[in-house]
Amino acid sequence: MPGKFGTPTDPDYALRLAEFEARIARGEKIEPGDWMPEEYRRQLVRMISQHAHSEVVGMLPEGAWITRAPSLKRKMILIAKVQDEAGHGQYLYHAAETLGISREEMLEALLSGRAKYSSIFNYPTLTWADIGTIGWLVDGAAIKNQTMLAQCSYGPYSRAMVRICAEETFHHKQGKEMVIAYAKGTPKQRQMAQDAINRWWWPALMMLGPHDADSPNSEVLIRWGVKTKSNDTVRQEFINEHAPEILATGLSLPDPELHQDPQGNWRHGPINWEEFWSVVGGNGPMNKERLEARRRAHTEGAWVREALEAYAAKKSPIPMAV
Amino acid sequence: MSPKAQAALIAKLTALADDELILSHRDSEWTGHGPILEEDIALANIAQDELGHASTWLSLRQALDGTDPDRLAFFRDAEEFRCAQLLELPKGDWAFTMLRQYLFDRYELHWLSAATASTYPPVAEAAAKILREERFHLQHTQAWVERLGQGTEESNRRLQAALEGQWGYAQQLFVPLPGEEILVGEGIVPELRRLKEDWLENVTRHLQASGLKLPLPPGYQPHSREHHTEHLWSLLAEMQSVARWDAEARIW
Amino acid sequence: MSDTQWPRWEVFKQDTPNKPHQAVGSVHAADPLHALLTARNVFVRRPQAVSLWVAPASAIFSVTQEELAEGPKPSPESTGVAGAYLLFRKTSHKRSMTFVDYVGQLEAPSPQAALEQALRQFTDAEALAWWVIPASSVVRSEESPETVESWFAPAKEKTYKQQSYYGVVGTHTSKLRGRGGADES
């Protein structure tokens, strides 16, 4: 709808922007249909669709272990967890759709390799203990971000996040419970858990994004109430919670410089950003396989989607204005 | 309960559980690979429900002989499983998966409805509980069969091919276990032969209304749950690989 | 036929018999029954629910408070007919999982007229956004006890999806502070 997304060349832009920012300052939610800067919309579409893609691609590394889960309980939990990730992707695509982008467009961007998703899912899951570790560390890091985003000024994104946070806490807890159990388990189980922690600790720190000084979008996102905390702040919260809890299990963390400072904050050693940007750039161990799996599912599902459309066209045509 | 009836009931509960466990496993292979996000979620619901039903039947067995459900699921070899061969078949395409689920759901609905009248209260209670979920499954898979059958030429062709591949196998769901007649005699489980008529009538009507060609030549019909397809061994090798990886592990 | 992700349907969930149906999100589905089944699969993975409605997103006339202040908004042509309309309203900026809640049904010659009528009729709270939906395009789950039991009750027993199932695991962070961290829990 023309005029809904304002650009700085609009004659009334300054006035409307001031009203918009005042609304956010008052704690109001921006809803679909309200005026918003085009840049706000663009940033949200970028963030939300990336986030949705991350959930959907994030199903793969864990989903691969559903058929190998070692007990009835773990199998049940893992199906439910990976299913939740599909659900979260689904909620997020919905939130992005309210900004005028279609699921088809977003999927095309993902499958063509243009869209980004969280690079952590380009690491392989090598053993069963990775499942617990992903729950504890990766979901633990994700929840820190999601809790913040539940405060977001854009109504549909905020609502998706509130729902996701409510569901996601179980992901974190089941992972933590599992790793703690293995840390107290047999030597083989303990070793497997330690190996998984060693491999996932640094990627988990990286997934919270570049340092504030290197994060070009942060400032405007904070001003417009999309993000309410910086990457480094969220990362510090994550480490403060997780480092002592992991150490308390008797497992170690793969950072010789990790220590608690006099203020009580756990300080980490230097992060290997070269590796981070390399994985973001498509050179992680699993980038190609993950995308390939998504493409295959999409291609193999095409006849199914067509069949239901054909059936609907015969039986119950609905108004299709979208 | 006589020792003979108890042994027969233990065998029956194991077979019920194995059907659900193996079907759930096949369904869960779709998680992350469905034709659209919504259906990924839908099938993961069914996989969880069936797995839950497997646990329910195993816990009924545990109450009788004390066997740990996880030991049964993860430490039995293929020849000790008592699932029907239909459920072992690889997941195939979406038509194959939906049709198998439909044929099984329809069978389960009849079986469970009758089993709510079991003279053994734990079976009657479990059946009533499981029946609630199966009603929804059947609505879901019935809708899918209708849509694929009447969708495009391709979806109809795929569904028909799935039907021809599964029809003979599906008949095994109505082959009683050795000794099952004791349980039927005591009113503990329903008689399969009677259920088969209802099932056959219902599925034939729905499949034909969905544009599929029936009746079909019976084809290969497995007759004993002691025999399996060549797929079960590798399915279990995968399913049990972590549980068996550490012989000392007591907790997973 | 070109490949799509199917049309979008908005989903309304009723948590208990005394609460209104609330907009919880949307699903992509091909036809009305499929949309309803899909809504159950997506939005009733956890408790709780007693009823679901779905409506094609294309049939919804939506207006925010800001839009209202700017004057009349044209409603979608496909839905501009006389009949019964369902009215949904958002009244709070508080954090929530839901958007608009069902407030009632009324007869009107068009969605725009239904909205004007609603503005006069439902004045008990400030409206931040409205949805107007033709009753004829809303598909509802059956109200029979059997359906409610089958569609909605089982989610309550899937406790492994609740964080409370895992109890308190490990030592809480607050107890570890300043202890150097390497102790056994």
Side-chain angles (χ1 to χ4, degrees), chain A residues 4 16 23 29 31 34-35 84 90 94 97 103-104 151 159 167 173 247-248 305 309 312 319, chain C residues 3-6 8 26 28 30 45-46 58 64 66-67 70 90 93 95 98 166-167 181 183 185:
Chain A
K4 281 290 162 72
R16 303 219 64 163
R23 287 192 61 193
K29 295 287 180 215
E31 296 295 350
D34 288 344
W35 185 93
D84 273 351
Q90 205 273 352
H94 163 81
E97 282 165 327
R103 174 122 41 111
E104 286 84 355
Q151 316 270 4
R159 288 190 286 275
E167 297 182 351
K173 280 213 165 181
L247 294 173
R305 296 189 298 274
E309 284 207 44
Chain C
D3 184 19
T4 74
Q5 290 283 302
W6 298 331
R8 209 157 61 78
S26 63
H28 286 244
R45 305 203 304 282
R46 288 179 173 73
S58 56
T64 63
E66 188 181 289
E67 287 176 302
E70 289 176 2
K90 179 192 171 180
H93 282 302
R95 258 172 64 161
T98 59
Y166 302 91
D183 329 38
S185 65

Side-chain angles (χ1 to χ4, degrees), chain A residues 66-194:
Chain A
I66 289 174
T67 54
R68 292 174 283 182
S71 75
L72 295 166
K73 183 181 104 172
R74 294 281 177 217
K75 196 178 174 85
M76 188 74 108
I77 291 169
L78 188 55
I79 301 173
K81 179 176 190 290
V82 180
Q83 177 191 43
D84 273 351
E85 281 148 18
H88 299 170
Q90 205 273 352
Y91 303 157
L92 288 160
Y93 283 129
H94 163 81
E97 282 165 327
T98 64
L99 292 159
I101 185 168
S102 68
R103 174 122 41 111
E104 286 84 355
E105 290 173 85
M106 290 185 273
L107 276 189
E108 198 277 323
L110 172 68
L111 299 178
S112 69
R114 271 188 295 123
K116 289 202 174 71
Y117 56 85
S118 184
S119 54
I120 197 145
F121 302 116
N122 290 322
Y123 289 90
T125 42
L126 299 182
T127 74
W128 169 252
D130 287 31
I131 300 308
T133 308
I134 288 175
W136 197 0
L137 297 185
V138 178
D139 294 323
I143 288 170
K144 292 283 171 217
N145 235 335
Q146 288 161 352
T147 310
M148 172 190 77
L149 289 167
Q151 316 270 4
C152 165
S153 59
Y154 187 58
Y157 196 18
S158 155
R159 288 190 286 275
M161 278 302 141
V162 175
R163 189 171 287 276
I164 288 172
C165 287
E167 297 182 351
E168 184 105 7
T169 37
F170 123 70
H171 298 186
H172 185 232
K173 280 213 165 181
Q174 63 83 34
K176 182 173 170 181
E177 184 220 17
M178 196 194 300
V179 176
I180 290 175
Y182 300 165
K184 289 191 275 197
T186 66
K188 279 181 87 171
Q189 285 177 318
R190 198 158 48 243
Q191 176 51 39
M192 181 165 68
Q194 181 64 63

Side-chain angles (χ1 to χ4, degrees), chain B residues 51-233:
Chain B
L51 185 58
H53 304 166
S55 295
T56 301
W57 296 127
L58 290 175
S59 68
L60 257 61
R61 172 172 169 172
Q62 188 174 28
L64 290 173
D65 71 354
T67 331
D68 174 40
D70 281 320
R71 294 302 296 184
L72 287 173
F74 295 94
F75 293 88
R76 256 183 316 155
D77 292 333
E79 73 269 17
E80 298 170 275
F81 268 74
R82 290 294 174 268
C83 44
Q85 294 185 18
L86 172 70
L87 311 164
E88 301 166 16
L89 300 173
K91 76 183 202 302
D93 64 8
W94 191 253
F96 194 92
T97 288
M98 283 295 123
L99 182 77
R100 168 165 56 192
Q101 190 66 47
Y102 165 71
L103 294 174
F104 186 77
D105 288 343
R106 188 32 101 181
Y107 143 79
E108 260 209 298
L109 196 86
H110 291 301
W111 195 91
L112 294 166
S113 300
T116 55
S118 171
T119 54
Y120 182 62
V123 165
E125 284 158 26
K129 214 166 144 186
I130 295 174
L131 186 58
R132 297 177 315 171
E133 290 182 333
E134 286 304 327
R135 282 208 177 94
F136 182 80
H137 290 191
L138 185 62
Q139 278 184 290
H140 179 89
T141 49
Q142 207 163 262
W144 265 101
V145 164
E146 182 181 330
R147 279 154 184 72
L148 294 179
Q150 300 186 35
T152 58
E153 238 170 75
E154 179 177 10
S155 66
N156 180 281
R157 175 175 55 73
R158 285 175 182 263
L159 195 63
Q160 182 72 36
L163 181 62
E164 284 162 23
Q166 292 177 20
W167 191 244
Y169 284 102
Q171 313 303 315
Q172 191 192 6
L173 296 170
F174 300 95
V175 177
L177 290 167
E180 190 166 329
E181 67 284 354
I182 305 171
L183 300 174
V184 174
E186 296 192 15
I188 294 174
V189 300
E191 192 187 355
L192 289 167
R193 200 169 355 120
R194 293 195 181 180
L195 303 179
K196 187 172 180 178
E197 288 164 30
D198 288 344
W199 177 84
L200 199 58
E201 191 196 314
N202 269 291
V203 298
T204 304
R205 196 184 331 119
H206 185 64
L207 292 169
Q208 283 175 340
S210 303
L212 296 181
K213 290 188 265 317
L214 277 162
L216 289 165
Y220 168 63
Q221 292 192 23
H223 59 274
S224 164
R225 286 176 178 255
E226 287 178 25
H227 302 131
H228 296 286
T229 64
E230 64 185 33
H231 307 291
L232 185 63
W233 182 286

